[in-house]
């Protein structure tokens, strides 16, 4: 096991399991869960999360944003259904059908392409129809014309309408009126389909915020996303309904400590200048790792159980902190960027508030230069180091003249 002293994201799979089960407790019997693992599991590692969760019988399957993400799950041995939430380009049809991946469909052109490929392979492709009830992103209109389009799609050969879904735009707000309006529109559209004899066995609306606050929207399935990772959709959801535990911590180590005198500037642009003698420590992490530059002169880290303020601008690969009041700080000391140490804690929500980001973005932006170490039952069960790529040498050799 590598020490990963420069930086490492520690992923607690037991915490992710707790969060899934906590959400399950807030669902009605018979409502299944779709685990959203897009953007590499919101930066936490899609494959280890999926391997851990696949054994749960209440889990219908997984959702990704792209076909590439779906294929990664298949290549990793994930066999439960995988739904692609985003648009699928025509060149992906062959693998979608072959790998039994569920694409989102909202146009006849896409449905016909999938139908032709399914016929060619002698297989059936299961699709989920996306209806736009107020997000104004992708999805067909929730009107009679849209319902007629779905009916026509249902008649295509080798196509199964497995699911119908929409996405809430404002379920994470205190006022649930807009979300309930979307829910009513979705239910009305489902009735239009029923009137046309279109049968779809799986309806799903709720995202994480819906799981927390909109039990009447938790139909045949719900799509659990950010809450799997121990992060709340917003400050306005009912946190008492579904307690969750943060899954990721981010740690580094001090590489250098020095004293500076009054008038000494720190980092690019001289945005911080010492007014008195100070001790500063250098941390080998920066915005190249996804640590926000907007935390410059704002953020804090934890060293020896105490908070140390960031001084000056965060660089691509390093930043400096004030350890004047931590006289015992030395090179090699553990630095907690996200997590707890000695009774002090720093959350993604804390950093999001200071940096002008929000917790989803912060988690997703922890870069591929940061290795992930996965813990379960008190031991490391997997590591993911993006610099231990395979096959690059062979590709380079093939490219040589």
């Amino acid at each position: 096991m590598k020490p990963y002293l420069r930086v490492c994201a520690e992923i607690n799979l037991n915490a992710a399991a707790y969060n899934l089960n906590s959400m399950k407790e807030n669902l009605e019997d018979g409502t299944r869960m779709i685990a959203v693992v897009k953007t590499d599991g919101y930066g936490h590692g899609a494959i280890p999360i999926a391997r851990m969760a696949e054994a749960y019988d209440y889990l219908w399957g997984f959702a990704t944003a792209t076909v590439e993400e779906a294929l990664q799950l298949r290549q990793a041995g994930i066999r439960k259904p995988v739904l692609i939430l985003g648009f699928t380009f025509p060149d992906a049809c062959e693998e979608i059908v072959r790998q039994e991946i569920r694409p989102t469909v909202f146009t006849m052109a896409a449905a016909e392409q999938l139908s032709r490929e399914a016929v060619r392979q002698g297989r059936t492709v299961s699709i989920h129809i996306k209806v736009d009830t107020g997000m104004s992103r992708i999805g067909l209109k929730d009107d009679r014309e849209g319902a007629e389009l779905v009916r026509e799609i249902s008649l295509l050969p080798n196509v199964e309408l497995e699911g119908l879904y929409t996405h809430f735009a404002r379920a994470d707000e205190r006022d649930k009126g807009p979300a309930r309006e979307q829910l009513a529109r979705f239910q009305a559209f489902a009735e239009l389909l029923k009137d046309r004899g279109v049968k779809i066995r799986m309806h799903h609306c709720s995202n994480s915020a819906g799981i927390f606050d909109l039990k009447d929207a938790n139909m045949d399935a719900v799509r659990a996303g950010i809450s799997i990772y121990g992060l709340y959709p917003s400050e306005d959801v009912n946190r008492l309904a579904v307690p969750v535990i943060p899954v990721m911590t981010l740690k580094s180590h001090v590489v250098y400590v020095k004293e500076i005198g009054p008038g000494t500037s720190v980092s690019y642009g001289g945005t911080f200048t010492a007014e008195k003698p100070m001790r500063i420590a250098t941390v080998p992490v920066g915005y190249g790792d996804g640590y926000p530059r907007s935390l410059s002169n704002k953020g804090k880290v934890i060293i020896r159980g105490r908070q140390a303020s960031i001084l000056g601008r965060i660089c691509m690969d390093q930043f400096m902190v004030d350890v004047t009041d931590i006289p015992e700080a030395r090179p090699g000391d553990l630095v907690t960027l996200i997590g707890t140490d000695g009774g002090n804690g720093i959350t993604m929500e804390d950093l999001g508030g200071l940096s002008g980001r929000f917790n989803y973005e912060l988690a997703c932006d922890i870069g591929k230069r940061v290795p992930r170490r996965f813990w379960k039952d008190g031991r490391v069960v997997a590591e993911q180091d993006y610099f231990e790529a395979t096959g690059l040498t062979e590709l380079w050799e093939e490219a040589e003249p």
Side-chain angles (χ1 to χ4, degrees):
M1 184 174 70
K2 289 188 176 181
Y4 292 127
L5 298 177
R6 186 186 76 83
V7 64
C8 186
E10 306 276 355
I11 310 299
N12 184 343
L13 294 176
N14 290 102
Y18 173 88
N19 298 337
L20 284 165
N21 289 321
S22 182
M23 284 183 280
K24 170 59 180 170
E25 291 299 312
N26 206 45
L27 300 178
E28 298 293 335
D29 290 342
T31 298
R32 303 187 74 186
M33 193 177 296
I34 302 170
V36 182
V37 293
K38 62 182 180 177
T39 315
D40 196 23
Y42 292 58
H44 291 69
I47 291 171
I49 294 288
R51 284 176 173 164
M52 177 274 298
E54 190 170 33
Y56 295 150
D57 57 5
Y58 61 76
L59 191 82
W60 174 82
F62 302 92
T64 68
T66 70
V67 66
E68 291 84 2
E69 292 173 338
L71 290 173
Q72 283 183 328
L73 294 180
R74 283 287 185 258
Q75 290 163 5
I78 299 301
R79 301 320 313 163
K80 279 193 173 180
V82 180
L83 167 64
I84 301 172
L85 298 172
F87 176 76
T88 300
F89 290 88
D91 65 333
C93 289
E94 181 176 353
E95 283 301 301
I96 284 174
V97 175
R98 190 183 313 282
Q99 298 290 344
E100 298 183 351
I101 293 167
R102 275 69 167 172
T104 286
V105 173
F106 47 91
T107 67
M108 177 57 76
E112 289 175 337
Q113 290 160 354
L114 289 161
S115 173
R116 286 194 296 269
E117 181 59 34
V119 169
R120 188 186 72 81
Q121 292 190 32
R123 298 169 179 260
T124 297
V125 59
S126 299
I127 68 173
H128 286 232
I129 299 292
K130 177 69 175 289
V131 54
D132 179 15
T133 59
M135 186 72 177
S136 299
R137 194 166 57 181
I138 60 173
L140 51 82
K141 292 183 178 180
D142 60 325
D143 55 16
R144 294 182 181 279
E145 182 180 342
E148 185 59 27
L149 174 59
V150 176
R151 189 191 69 81
E152 293 173 2
I153 290 173
S154 72
L155 300 176
L156 292 172
N158 296 55
V159 172
E160 177 201 18
L161 271 62
E162 180 178 54
L164 177 75
Y165 77 104
T166 194
H167 186 64
F168 290 135
R170 300 173 61 181
D172 58 350
E173 297 179 359
R174 190 177 302 277
D175 178 9
K176 303 302 177 185
R180 292 194 180 281
E181 180 181 346
Q182 280 192 261
L183 176 59
R185 289 173 61 175
F186 180 81
Q187 291 171 328
F189 186 75
E191 286 299 314
L192 288 178
L193 296 182
K194 186 177 179 181
D195 291 343
R196 286 160 174 76
V198 178
K199 295 181 180 179
I200 302 179
R201 68 172 182 269
M202 185 175 174
H203 296 72
H204 48 106
C205 290
S206 281
N207 52 8
S208 291
I211 295 170
F212 280 63
D213 291 340
L214 294 167
K215 278 200 168 187
D216 51 342
N218 298 342
M219 303 173 175
D220 301 301
V222 296
R223 301 186 303 275
I226 194 70
S227 46
I228 294 175
Y229 311 100
L231 302 173
Y232 288 97
S234 75
E235 294 180 355
D236 293 331
V237 299
N238 181 10
R239 299 188 178 200
L240 296 177
V242 183
V244 295
I245 303 171
V247 172
M248 179 191 290
T249 60
L250 186 65
K251 298 179 180 180
S252 180
H253 290 81
V254 172
V255 295
Y256 191 46
V257 177
K258 65 180 176 183
E259 297 181 356
I260 61 173
T264 303
S265 294
V266 178
S267 196
Y268 289 113
T271 60
F272 176 85
T273 300
E275 297 179 353
K276 60 183 181 180
M278 300 180 72
R279 293 181 79 237
I280 65 172
T282 301
V283 180
V285 178
Y287 63 80
D289 300 294
Y291 192 73
R293 187 174 185 266
S294 51
L295 288 173
S296 300
N297 289 308
K298 296 179 182 178
K300 297 179 184 296
V301 301
I302 304 172
I303 298 173
R304 292 184 178 252
R306 282 170 280 176
Q307 291 193 348
S309 298
I310 295 174
L311 304 178
R313 288 181 181 163
I314 292 171
C315 311
M316 185 181 293
D317 317 299
Q318 304 173 76
F319 64 88
M320 282 64 76
V321 299
D322 181 7
V323 292
T324 306
D325 295 331
I326 312 176
E328 65 272 34
R330 296 288 185 273
D333 281 353
L334 178 70
V335 181
T336 300
L337 291 83
I338 299 171
T340 60
D341 180 21
N344 266 309
I346 297 173
T347 67
M348 287 193 186
E349 285 84 359
D350 293 334
L351 297 186
L354 289 171
S355 66
R357 296 181 172 187
F358 76 133
N359 52 5
Y360 291 67
E361 181 183 4
L362 196 65
C364 292
D365 284 354
I366 299 298
K368 302 309 180 192
R369 196 167 70 170
V370 178
R372 271 70 165 171
R373 178 178 287 134
F374 300 88
W375 291 80
K376 186 177 181 183
D377 300 331
R379 66 185 183 89
V380 176
V381 295
E383 291 180 341
Q384 192 166 10
D385 187 335
Y386 296 90
F387 281 92
E388 290 187 349
T390 58
L392 293 178
T393 301
E394 290 80 356
L395 288 174
W396 289 336
E397 289 174 350
E398 291 173 6
E400 291 177 358

